[in-house]
């Protein structure tokens, strides 16, 4: 009897690569700082291409510098199965967010090579550009461009804090990719599967190594700009001030109150900039972010309306503008991919449970164009975007084993199988 592909997954090799990739952008505290399209990310990318070439994979890129490593199937005319995640990180990132999904995908190819089999469909490992959105906000621009969710020109025009555009940064990366052909957008994969750390503590608390991700909760992100007037802190009466920060504080307090019901609404003001940001000057401008998430779109929409009302009502003598920079409704992943993950976990005798994703992922964008799913593994304390981010080696291996069998199952289906939405 033919062995399942997961039998050929080498957990130690995968772990060693995770630790090696973490050297690119390594922080002194053990974390990773690998901004999208930076020099250090380009070096990590070159490492991935190198590993791919050793396995005989053909690298490809595209106009926004997504990276694909292709293993040719016996029917290269069929659309490929795509597996992977991203290798950019938050400034205070860890070793696993994104990198695990890409390197687990590479380990799937290793397992295929070790098995000596050739899948029917081609399989491509993918590293999407700018998932995190910390250098270029908002994130997921690579997968959005690929899936046609937003126009490429819009995504390329986004700038970082230094004024560098995605276009300029991507061109620098692409210039290093000598011998890596560029493919246009517009083709559809047969399926996309992304393995990822959970970034929440549910699997760890349940003692379950595999999460079958059912969907992703809805998100809205905003930027609020409150404009007042700079004034002397010692001579301007409070009643006569146009204090932008005090107006922002009133808004945030009111928004916090409406977001406290129901209790599982996620609301974060994670960024604020003051102008001129001087101790003895009444703030002229306050600029802050709002990140709102919940599984129920109706709840997100209700709080959205409240946020808009509050920003208008609480600005007092100042003026305020609110820009919604991202809106993603809740989504459910393809039932056939969820079923394939459940089947693979059962066959590998790995406990699994359905789980909702609280964080956004590139899989959201792919879900719009092909059957898509995600495999979660636990991470310690649910901590991520933090140098303390940690996944147990056994869980890393378990996730890669399930990904291997799911990938092979999808890549073995002909026209009537994996490509069916
Ligand atoms: Zn991630």
């Amino acid at each position: 009897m033919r062995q399942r592909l997961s039998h050929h997954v080498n957990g130690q090799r995968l772990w060693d690569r995770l630790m090696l990739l973490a050297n690119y952008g390594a922080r002194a505290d053990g974390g990773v700082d690998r901004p999208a399209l930076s020099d250090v990310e380009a070096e990590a990318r070159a490492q991935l291409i190198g590993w791919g070439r050793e396995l005989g994979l053909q690298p490809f890129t595209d106009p926004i510098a997504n990276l694909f490593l292709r293993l040719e199937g016996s029917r290269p005319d069929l659309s490929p199965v795509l597996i992977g995640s991203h290798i950019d990180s938050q400034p205070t990132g860890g070793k696993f967010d994104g990198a695990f999904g890409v390197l687990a995908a590479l380990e799937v190819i290793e397992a295929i090579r070790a098995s000596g089999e050739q899948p029917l469909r081609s399989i491509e490992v993918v590293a999407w550009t700018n998932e995190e959105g910390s250098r270029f906000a908002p994130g997921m621009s690579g997968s959005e461009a690929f899936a046609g969710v937003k126009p490429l020109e819009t995504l390329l025009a986004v700038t970082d804090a230094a004024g560098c555009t995605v276009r300029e940064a991507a061109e620098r990366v692409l210039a290093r990719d000598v011998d890596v052909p560029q493919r246009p957008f517009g083709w559809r994969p047969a399926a996309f599967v992304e393995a990822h750390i959970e970034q929440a503590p549910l699997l760890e608390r349940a003692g379950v190594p595999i999460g079958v991700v059912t969907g992703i909760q809805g998100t809205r992100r905003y930027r609020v700009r409150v404009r007042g007037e700079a004034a002397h802190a010692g001579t301007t009466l409070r009643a006569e001030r146009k204090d932008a920060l005090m107006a922002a504080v009133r808004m945030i307090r009111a928004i916090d109150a409406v977001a406290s019901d129901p209790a599982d609404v996620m609301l974060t003001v994670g960024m604020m900039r003051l102008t001129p940001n001087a101790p003895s000057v009444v703030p002229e401008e306050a600029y802050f972010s709002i990140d709102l998430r919940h599984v129920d779109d109706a709840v997100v929409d209700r709080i959205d309306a409240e946020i808009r009302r509050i920003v208008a009502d609480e600005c007092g003598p100042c003026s305020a503008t609110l820009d919604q920079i991202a809106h993603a409704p809740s989504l459910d992943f393809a039932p056939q991919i969820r079923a394939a993950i459940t089947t693979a976990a059962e066959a590998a005798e790995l406990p699994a449970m359905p789980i909702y994703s609280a964080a956004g992922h590139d899989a959201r964008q792919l879900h719009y164009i092909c059957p898509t799913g995600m495999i979660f593994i636990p991470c310690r304390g649910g901590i991520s975007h933090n140098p303390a981010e940690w996944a147990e080696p056994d869980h890393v291996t378990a996730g890669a084993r399930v990904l291997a069998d799911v990938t092979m199952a999808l890549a073995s289906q002909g026209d009537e199988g994996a490509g069916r939405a």
Side-chain angles (χ1 to χ4, degrees):
M1 194 186 120
R2 212 172 69 177
Q3 270 179 326
R4 287 194 313 275
L5 186 62
S6 54
H7 179 82
H8 296 280
V9 165
N10 181 333
Q12 187 63 49
R13 175 172 52 207
L14 170 54
W15 184 262
D16 291 346
R17 281 189 175 149
L18 268 168
M19 296 305 117
L20 201 151
L21 202 72
N23 290 332
Y24 296 93
R27 292 162 50 100
D29 57 11
V32 173
D33 177 7
R34 199 159 52 223
L37 301 172
S38 62
D39 287 346
V40 73
E41 196 207 36
E43 286 163 22
R45 173 189 181 91
Q47 174 70 73
L48 279 179
I49 294 172
W51 282 328
R53 286 215 160 106
E54 283 169 23
L55 281 164
L57 307 184
Q58 168 68 50
F60 290 99
T61 185
D62 63 22
I64 201 160
N66 291 315
L67 175 66
F68 304 86
L69 302 169
R70 180 180 172 99
L71 172 80
E72 206 75 359
S74 61
R75 288 279 311 276
D77 56 307
L78 296 177
S79 55
V81 172
L82 219 49
I83 50 176
S85 189
H86 60 95
I87 59 166
D88 65 318
S89 83
Q90 294 285 336
T92 56
K95 297 181 174 77
F96 301 89
D97 181 352
F100 163 62
V102 174
L103 294 176
L106 194 66
E107 183 58 31
V108 170
I109 307 291
E110 289 275 7
I112 292 171
R113 289 300 195 210
S115 74
E117 289 185 53
Q118 186 183 25
L120 182 74
R121 287 178 186 271
S122 301
I123 297 170
E124 297 194 9
V125 174
V126 60
W128 301 109
T129 294
N130 186 37
E131 192 276 342
E132 295 288 1
S134 53
R135 179 179 177 196
F136 299 104
M140 298 190 224
S141 30
S143 51
E144 282 186 331
F146 180 84
V149 174
K150 282 186 194 163
L152 177 64
E153 291 306 314
T154 307
L155 296 165
L156 291 177
V158 172
T159 56
D160 67 6
C164 173
T165 62
V166 171
R167 181 193 305 279
E168 289 160 352
E171 277 169 2
R172 281 187 58 181
V173 170
L174 292 173
R176 297 171 64 136
D177 283 345
V178 206
D179 303 331
V180 179
Q182 246 194 69
R183 291 187 305 203
F185 297 124
W187 59 277
R188 285 176 177 236
F192 175 61
V193 185
E194 179 170 7
H196 207 281
I197 56 168
E198 184 199 344
Q199 302 180 274
L202 302 181
L203 289 174
E204 183 185 53
R205 281 183 196 158
V208 171
I210 298 294
V212 184
V213 184
T214 54
I216 299 181
Q217 70 179 346
T219 308
R220 286 182 191 255
R221 295 199 185 94
Y222 314 84
R223 297 287 187 268
V224 180
R225 191 182 299 276
V226 185
R227 286 201 183 83
E229 200 171 87
H232 192 295
T235 61
T236 316
L237 288 174
R238 295 196 55 178
E240 292 171 8
R241 293 180 186 185
K242 294 181 180 176
D243 186 327
L245 177 59
M246 289 306 170
V249 166
R250 288 193 299 274
M251 290 172 194
I252 293 167
R253 189 165 53 194
I255 291 166
D256 182 48
V258 299
S260 61
D261 175 35
D264 56 350
V265 171
M266 299 293 171
L267 182 110
T268 305
V269 175
M271 184 273 287
M272 179 177 279
R273 288 189 213 127
L274 295 180
T275 310
N277 203 25
S280 296
V281 181
V282 174
E284 178 179 25
E285 183 179 287
Y287 181 71
F288 62 96
S289 62
I290 304 171
D291 182 310
L292 168 67
R293 308 181 199 210
H294 193 265
V295 293
D296 183 348
D297 283 333
V299 170
V300 173
D301 293 348
R302 175 175 59 77
I303 295 173
D304 168 74
E306 288 289 308
I307 287 174
R308 291 169 193 276
R309 180 189 61 74
I310 288 166
V311 168
D313 286 358
E314 298 291 342
C315 63
C318 302
S319 63
T321 52
L322 175 138
D323 283 323
Q324 179 176 285
I325 62 158
H327 176 208
S330 291
L331 68 87
D332 295 323
F333 284 130
Q336 69 270 38
I337 307 286
R338 285 149 63 177
I341 296 168
T342 305
T343 303
E346 270 170 18
E349 296 181 348
L350 290 164
M353 64 184 241
I355 189 165
Y356 215 79
S357 176
H361 297 283
D362 292 306
R364 166 183 285 286
Q365 316 307 338
L366 273 292
H367 149 88
Y368 297 123
I369 60 164
C370 68
T372 294
M374 293 189 75
I375 300 164
F376 274 176
I377 61 166
C379 59
R380 186 185 290 168
I383 293 168
S384 73
H385 292 184
N386 185 306
E389 184 180 288
W390 185 256
E392 294 302 328
D394 283 354
H395 296 157
V396 166
T397 306
R401 290 180 63 201
V402 172
L403 179 65
D405 287 340
V406 169
T407 304
M408 205 53 174
L410 294 170
S412 304
Q413 294 172 6
D415 295 323
E416 297 304 309
R420 196 173 47 198

